[in-house]
Amino acid sequence: MTILAVETSCDDTSIALVKCNQGICHILSNIVSSQIEIHAPYGGVVPNLAARAHLKNIEPCLRQALSEAKNPEIDLIATTIGPGLIPSLLVGANFAKALAYNWQKPIIGINHIEGHIYANWITNSKINFPALCLVVSGGHTQLVLMNGHGEYKLLGQTRDDAAGEAFDKVAKLLNLGYPGGPIISQKAKSGNNKGFNLPRPMINSQDFDFSFSGLKTAVLYQVKKQKGKLSEQYIEDMSASFEQAAIDVLASKTIKAAKEYEVKTVILSGGVAANLELRKQLKESIEKQTQAKFSMPEIKLCTDNAAMIASATYFTKKPKQDHSKIQADANLKLVA
Ligand code: KG4
Ligand code: ZN
């Protein structure tokens, strides 16, 4: 079956065409139009500006996606219905509804976090259950246990800031601009990750929850001592020290959960999964300290894109035998 997916939950406008058959999804096209230039001057995403840009960009994205995929016959339309910014979500969901109406195709609403998780199945179709997913995005940090497709148990989550949010806020403190995650990881490459002694919040707590706001505040106190003078060396060492502190907490909780639930696979997902150091260290620790296999999406599928929404649709909504019986959502309900 060929799925046309729409993703506009935050500041990326994305449309993908994905062909999924016999447990394997193949991307025909996955167009992502970024709005970084629009939001950078504000240091974060401005929801109404994001919605306006989606409105402008979504039709060119559709045209490009259809043309790159060579106009295939479409069986189903999928759209992200949340969580995300409501003005942004409304543009994509309404656009998808109009397409479904016009083309007389079924439409399905998909959860954005499920999309991030299912980016893994595009890269690696052989993931064994039970699987443990570490979801690290700009809005979420969660440990989710999966016993099968679409079967989730939330084991723990952040009590305050998400991991990506912490990267973005620390980048702001270091005057590195927006979005912070990629810039911090770039600076961290040349820095000393033991340069600053930063806390590892909740690393020894008995649960699977996280907390990143204390880590961000620890960076703030250090930066304040500098009275506005941040040398390149300082920025690199602080970026590396912060990145390492975040990775230590994420890896430690993930390993603890993987052992406790005796999972067969550990899955990394969300925008922060694009972080090279996290990818490398988590893979090494999982393979060394647990029996589980490790899976992560290709880097370009970690951040927001519509192909992951198509993958989630195929694996969680398809009836076992007859694809034509897929249930359409008559009323798409947005999730904030
Ligand atoms: O999943 P995503 O694209 O959007 C949300 O659903 O939130 O994640 C965006 C987040 C941002 O906070 C961004 O700074 C972070 O992912 N991010 C990174 C890297 N690339 C993106 N964080 C750390 N290292 C990276 N290389
Ligand atoms: Zn996302």
Side-chain angles (χ1 to χ4, degrees), residues 112 116 137-139 164-165 167-168 179-182 185 270-272 274-275 302-304:
H112 181 74
H116 275 302
S137 72
E165 192 180 352
F167 270 87
D168 294 339
S185 63
V272 184
N275 184 280
C302 290
T303 44
D304 292 348

Side-chain angles (χ1 to χ4, degrees), residues 173-175 220 222-231 234-235:
L173 293 174
L174 298 174
N175 300 320
L220 171 71
Q222 294 277 355
V223 169
K224 270 190 173 165
K225 283 191 216 157
Q226 295 303 109
K227 300 202 166 46
K229 290 191 200 82
L230 303 181
S231 68
Y234 183 96
I235 290 172

Side-chain angles (χ1 to χ4, degrees), residues 16-209:
L17 281 138
V18 180
K19 194 168 182 157
C20 301
N21 280 319
Q22 295 176 344
I24 294 175
C25 283
H26 172 68
I27 297 177
L28 304 177
S29 59
N30 189 21
I31 309 302
V32 182
S33 167
S34 161
Q35 302 177 8
I36 286 178
E37 279 177 21
I38 294 172
H39 303 289
Y42 303 92
V45 179
V46 184
N48 284 349
L49 294 184
R52 284 186 204 196
H54 285 311
L55 198 56
K56 178 167 167 252
N57 297 336
I58 200 158
E59 199 188 324
C61 279
L62 173 70
R63 286 183 195 282
Q64 200 181 336
L66 287 172
S67 138
E68 269 188 28
K70 304 198 169 46
N71 291 300
E73 180 65 29
I74 291 159
D75 298 297
L76 175 70
I77 294 178
T79 183
T80 306
I81 48 168
L85 305 172
I86 292 290
S88 290
L89 288 164
L90 275 171
V91 177
N94 271 320
F95 189 76
K97 271 188 112 169
L99 288 181
Y101 176 77
N102 193 33
W103 293 342
Q104 289 295 296
K105 302 290 177 194
I107 180 166
I108 287 210
I110 292 291
N111 180 292
H112 181 74
I113 305 298
E114 275 190 282
H116 275 302
I117 292 172
Y118 274 90
N120 276 277
W121 270 265
I122 300 175
T123 308
N124 174 8
S125 61
K126 296 198 173 63
I127 292 174
N128 292 320
F129 295 113
L132 174 73
C133 316
L134 172 64
V135 182
V136 272
S137 72
H140 293 78
T141 300
Q142 300 183 332
L143 272 170
V144 179
L145 181 67
M146 285 178 81
N147 284 315
H149 285 301
E151 292 175 34
Y152 312 103
K153 183 178 175 209
L154 182 64
L155 301 181
Q157 60 184 328
T158 182
R159 296 193 184 172
D160 39 57
D161 293 350
E165 192 180 352
F167 270 87
D168 294 339
K169 286 179 175 169
V170 166
K172 226 175 187 176
L173 293 174
L174 298 174
N175 300 320
L176 296 177
Y178 163 86
I183 314 176
I184 292 260
S185 63
Q186 192 55 36
K187 296 284 176 194
K189 275 189 198 161
S190 345
N192 173 6
N193 65 9
K194 295 189 182 67
F196 293 92
N197 187 13
L198 297 174
R200 269 70 175 155
M202 295 185 70
I203 198 163
N204 292 318
S205 72
Q206 291 308 303
D207 50 34
F208 296 113
D209 284 348

